[in-house]
Amino acid sequence: MYYVVTLLAIIAAELLYFYIAKKLHIVDRPNERSSHRKVALLGAGVIFWFSIIFFSATHRWAFLPFTIGATLLAVVSYVDDMKGLPSWLRMFVQIAAVVLGFYSAINTLEVWQMLLLVVLFVGVLNVYNFMDGINGMLAAYSFVVVGTFGYLNLFQTHFVNTEFVFTILAAILVFGFFNFRKNARCFSGDVGSIVMGFIVLFLLLRYDVAIPDNGENVSYLCFIIVFLADGLLTIFKRFLTGRNIFEAHREHLYETLVNNLHVPHLRVSAGYALLQLVINVGYMLFSDKNLYTLIVAFMLVMMYGLFFYYCNVKKDIRF
């Protein structure tokens, strides 16, 4: 019964938001940095925050520190979507939210380990934030990642409430129904991509704690390595070419595929999701997880480097 009620509640909440957004003209208008060309509703990713609240409220406020952290992120990110906020305020809230996420998932780390992982995870959160610019990317990629954790939770090690995973997957499917289209009806906005990134990090931490390495193994970042590698390597490329790494841009691999090579949005989104799915399946089958993660990381670096060499030298594509 919970599953049916949850799905109906999420659908109703998303449709209600659409109604409000239309009335208040909350839309994403294309600009020089956009990869889309038509006006779409903005902020529909608030459904991810709603799914957290719905689960928590129906389960005696389970994972309360995590829920508070997600709420802080949702509020600040939504306001930032509407009118912009200082970068220092966004960063402060992101650090506070990550600490709250740690408190909900793991409390056995030394202070230095906590500080190191907070810096790492805030970086991951911001890399995940770029995902919303391509139709279907956030929905398809996140469904693979959260679905992977759902599979591990059911068939390998129970580390989180199964209904929590279902609630998040239901929200992704509902959002994806409107976003995974040639002409997307909506975009998630920072409120969706940041909160979804926070959910993924929370699940990663919960899984990390549930296995016998006592939270010291970061190979589980392999579950999001396709997008993580894209983001980090793009930053590294901009640094090497003398560009401001903090300046807004559209130089990620997936943006280059869409904007410069004119590959359809949905093919790029499906390609990223399928590649991550193959990597995740391989992770489950490979016995030495750390070695597997290093091999995958090396292969992605080589693929990324060869692609941009091809773009710049062979095709003389500028971006």
Side-chain angles (χ1 to χ4, degrees):
M1 187 63 179
Y2 172 83
Y3 300 104
V4 175
V5 172
T6 298
L7 183 58
L8 292 176
I10 288 173
I11 293 173
E14 187 74 306
L15 292 177
L16 175 62
Y17 179 78
F18 281 6
Y19 176 80
I20 295 172
K22 287 178 181 178
K23 287 290 185 182
L24 300 180
H25 302 288
I26 302 173
V27 296
D28 185 2
R29 299 186 184 279
N31 54 46
E32 67 278 0
R33 288 188 54 245
S34 301
S35 297
H36 62 96
R37 293 293 174 262
K38 293 191 176 182
V39 175
L41 296 178
L42 179 63
V46 72
I47 197 67
F48 304 142
W49 169 78
F50 173 81
S51 66
I52 295 172
I53 295 298
F54 184 87
F55 169 82
S56 189
T58 55
H59 290 76
R60 299 182 179 180
W61 299 105
F63 312 137
L64 185 57
F66 163 76
T67 303
I68 294 172
T71 301
L72 288 174
L73 286 175
V75 171
V76 169
S77 298
Y78 193 81
V79 173
D80 188 51
D81 279 334
M82 297 303 106
K83 60 180 182 179
L85 288 174
S87 56
W88 66 265
L89 177 58
R90 298 197 306 271
M91 185 64 64
F92 176 80
V93 172
Q94 289 171 11
I95 292 172
V98 168
V99 171
L100 287 168
F102 270 109
Y103 187 81
S104 273
I106 182 170
N107 54 18
T108 59
L109 295 179
E110 300 290 339
V111 174
W112 69 270
Q113 292 174 312
M114 176 74 79
L115 292 175
L116 181 63
L117 286 176
V118 165
V119 172
L120 173 63
F121 283 5
V122 168
V124 171
L125 203 61
N126 281 279
V127 168
Y128 212 94
N129 184 33
F130 287 104
M131 199 177 295
D132 187 44
I134 305 298
N135 297 12
M137 177 71 80
L138 181 63
Y141 193 84
S142 297
F143 189 82
V144 167
V145 175
V146 177
T148 298
F149 284 118
Y151 176 86
L152 293 171
N153 189 58
L154 284 174
F155 299 106
Q156 187 181 94
T157 303
H158 184 75
F159 60 93
V160 72
N161 190 306
T162 302
E163 292 178 348
F164 175 79
V165 178
F166 170 82
T167 305
I168 302 303
L169 286 174
I172 294 172
L173 284 174
V174 171
F175 170 74
F177 178 78
F178 298 103
N179 178 256
F180 195 90
R181 302 182 181 203
K182 182 179 179 180
N183 296 312
R185 288 189 57 188
C186 66
F187 286 101
S188 80
D190 287 0
V191 64
S193 54
I194 284 284
V195 170
M196 181 52 63
F198 189 54
I199 292 169
V200 167
L201 290 178
F202 174 70
L203 290 172
L204 189 149
L205 283 170
R206 295 283 298 190
Y207 180 68
D208 190 15
V209 172
I211 58 166
D213 67 5
N214 297 318
E216 297 172 356
N217 191 344
V218 295
S219 70
Y220 313 120
L221 289 173
C222 193
F223 293 144
I224 56 173
I225 198 169
V226 174
F227 213 86
L228 187 60
D230 189 327
L232 294 179
L233 289 171
T234 298
I235 292 172
F236 183 64
K237 173 176 69 69
R238 285 179 62 80
F239 176 77
L240 288 181
T241 54
R243 295 180 175 91
N244 184 349
I245 63 174
F246 299 104
E247 189 178 60
H249 63 86
R250 57 175 193 173
E251 296 183 16
H252 291 93
L253 173 56
Y254 55 91
E255 291 173 317
T256 302
L257 288 169
V258 169
N259 298 314
N260 297 72
L261 300 185
H262 309 295
V263 180
H265 284 234
L266 300 187
R267 289 187 187 179
V268 174
S269 298
Y272 267 64
L274 287 173
L275 178 57
Q276 186 63 67
L277 178 61
V278 170
I279 290 172
N280 290 358
V281 171
Y283 184 94
M284 298 177 202
L285 299 176
F286 213 85
S287 56
D288 190 331
K289 310 300 186 186
N290 290 318
L291 176 61
Y292 177 78
T293 302
L294 288 174
I295 292 172
V296 169
F298 176 77
M299 292 178 64
L300 289 175
V301 169
M302 292 299 294
M303 289 169 57
Y304 186 94
L306 288 173
F307 174 82
F308 277 105
Y309 172 81
Y310 177 79
C311 284
N312 285 309
V313 178
K314 298 296 182 183
K315 293 294 184 180
D316 196 33
I317 294 176
R318 303 300 178 185
F319 45 87

